[in-house]
Amino acid sequence: MESLTKNRQSTAVLRVLIERGFGSDEVPDGEDFAEEITEGWFNVAYRIRLRSGRLVVLKVAPPADVPVLTREVDMMRNELEAMRLVAEQTSVPVPRIEHVDLSHEVVDADLFFMEHIDADNFGFAAAEGRLAADVVAAGNRELGALNRAINQVVGPHYGPLSGPGFATWREAFTAAVEDTLRDGAAVGIDLGWEPDEIRLVLEEHAGALDEVAEPRLIEVDLWAKNSMIRDGRIVAVLDHERALYGDPLMEAGLTGLDLAGFDDPTDFMEGFGVRVLSETQRTRRRLYSMYLALIMVVETRYRGHTDTVVYDFGRTELDRVMAALGRARR
């Protein structure tokens, strides 16, 4: 995917980074040792073959001078912390971190190398019809179970892993929505709704957020395309940068309850251990879908999209979930 945030590097710079991470003996010859992994929307990632033949993955954060959403500031450091928590406190498989460089001495951004996972991307393999229907169903159930295991990690506060922390989930979620509204205003994007209308909907339903009594580690972006499958089993969960402490019902695997174009959540929910939502849980889930649709609209300006496909989709889905929350367009 193309985005202004992708901080692509020359092979000469990649060689320097490899030497810093693995030593001069692992610096490869030639020009074909690095292949960009193009599916992501935010960071640039490379599959790199070291001189020894071992494969590793390099992720590089956006350039320092490229504007990002408030929620995306220092997001790679957030990902590193999330990977540490998952690796140390659960049995959920995550790639091993090989080398971290936060110095900005070679590249104007945070970066890290991690283990390369020799497996298929679950979401892409399913979409391309390379997996049988029963394998896809079982994989989604396993993904739900893995997500539930991650949610067992209890945090010290609500909100971003390294702060700012909030005493209640209502405060943390309200701040996240407000940040996104400010991000949209900063670039003058048309949401299709006045920001105060969105604030009012959140205020009217915010009481449902008070049911969340404990800050749990949530991935927020864990779906099939952020996981790897081999021989019918999920062998790695990827892309932890959006993780925070909050409500497990905010997990991406439930998004299909509200928004079109997302996977049917039935199998995921079975593994996740939640089959039926209460009325207040359903309200919370709609608020989280409203927030996601809002982000989809706003981030198009920050990504530098040259078409309106994602923007139009986000606008349509924001209308849909606002209607579900009692604000049908007149």
Side-chain angles (χ1 to χ4, degrees), residues 10-320:
S10 68
T11 54
V13 170
L14 294 178
R15 284 195 177 90
V16 173
L17 296 176
I18 291 167
E19 182 170 7
R20 287 167 68 96
F22 302 96
S24 58
D25 290 346
E26 283 285 28
V27 178
D29 297 320
E31 296 294 319
D32 60 351
F33 61 87
E35 173 190 7
E36 184 178 345
I37 302 170
T38 59
E39 290 84 4
W41 286 91
F42 188 68
N43 301 306
V44 69
Y46 296 98
R47 183 181 296 106
I48 290 176
R49 186 175 297 277
L50 303 176
R51 181 178 290 182
S52 63
R54 185 162 69 94
L55 289 173
V56 294
V57 172
L58 169 66
K59 292 185 72 171
V60 184
D65 61 349
V66 171
V68 297
L69 298 175
T70 301
R71 71 198 286 260
E72 295 170 339
V73 174
D74 289 333
M75 199 156 70
M76 184 164 284
R77 300 185 187 211
N78 193 73
E79 176 169 24
L80 290 165
E81 174 63 8
M83 292 176 73
R84 183 191 69 80
L85 289 167
V86 174
E88 292 181 0
Q89 298 193 37
T90 80
S91 60
V92 175
V94 295
R96 181 179 62 255
I97 295 172
E98 300 271 9
H99 175 72
V100 177
D101 187 345
L102 308 179
S103 70
H104 296 205
E105 292 173 354
V106 179
V107 175
D108 61 342
D110 295 342
L111 60 93
F112 71 94
F113 288 90
M114 66 181 179
E115 172 190 11
H116 176 264
I117 304 299
D118 183 17
D120 288 323
N121 181 289
F122 178 31
F124 286 108
E128 293 164 8
R130 292 188 282 117
L131 300 175
D134 62 327
V135 173
V136 174
N140 281 317
R141 288 193 294 271
E142 185 178 12
L143 206 59
L146 292 172
N147 206 154
R148 181 179 60 196
I150 290 170
N151 298 154
Q152 301 311 302
V153 178
V154 178
H157 59 256
Y158 293 98
L161 302 186
S162 299
F166 297 87
T168 68
W169 178 232
R170 183 199 285 230
E171 293 173 287
F173 183 71
T174 300
V177 172
E178 192 60 43
D179 284 343
T180 307
L181 291 173
R182 282 197 298 267
D183 290 336
V187 294
I189 198 162
D190 180 9
L191 305 175
W193 295 84
E194 289 299 321
D196 282 346
E197 292 181 280
I198 294 172
R199 292 185 179 102
L200 182 58
V201 166
L202 175 56
E203 181 181 347
E204 288 174 347
H205 297 287
L209 301 170
D210 294 333
E211 273 194 353
V212 182
E214 193 171 41
R216 300 297 187 98
L217 178 63
I218 59 175
E219 287 281 344
V220 181
D221 199 28
L222 177 52
W223 58 312
K225 289 181 180 177
N226 279 341
S227 64
M228 306 295 285
I229 193 167
R230 185 194 309 125
D231 298 329
R233 298 300 305 272
I234 303 296
V235 295
V237 173
L238 310 175
D239 293 348
H240 307 260
E241 59 259 47
R242 302 180 192 280
L244 50 83
Y245 293 121
D247 178 9
L249 290 184
M250 194 175 180
E251 295 290 20
L254 303 172
T255 307
L257 288 171
D258 303 301
L259 303 186
F262 288 84
D263 292 341
D264 182 336
T266 303
D267 291 317
F268 177 90
M269 290 175 69
E270 182 177 337
F272 195 57
V274 177
R275 297 191 181 191
V276 179
L277 301 184
S278 69
E279 183 177 343
T280 52
Q281 287 176 324
R282 199 71 187 83
T283 297
R284 296 201 321 262
R285 185 53 252 176
R286 289 183 178 123
L287 289 174
Y288 306 149
S289 293
M290 179 191 76
Y291 174 55
L292 176 58
L294 179 64
I295 289 169
M296 287 191 290
V297 172
V298 173
E299 72 179 6
T300 58
R301 188 67 57 84
Y302 287 82
R303 300 290 186 267
H305 290 180
T306 56
D307 59 51
T308 65
V309 173
V310 176
Y311 173 81
D312 292 342
F313 175 75
R315 281 280 302 266
T316 298
E317 295 310 302
L318 184 56
D319 287 351
R320 182 196 304 273

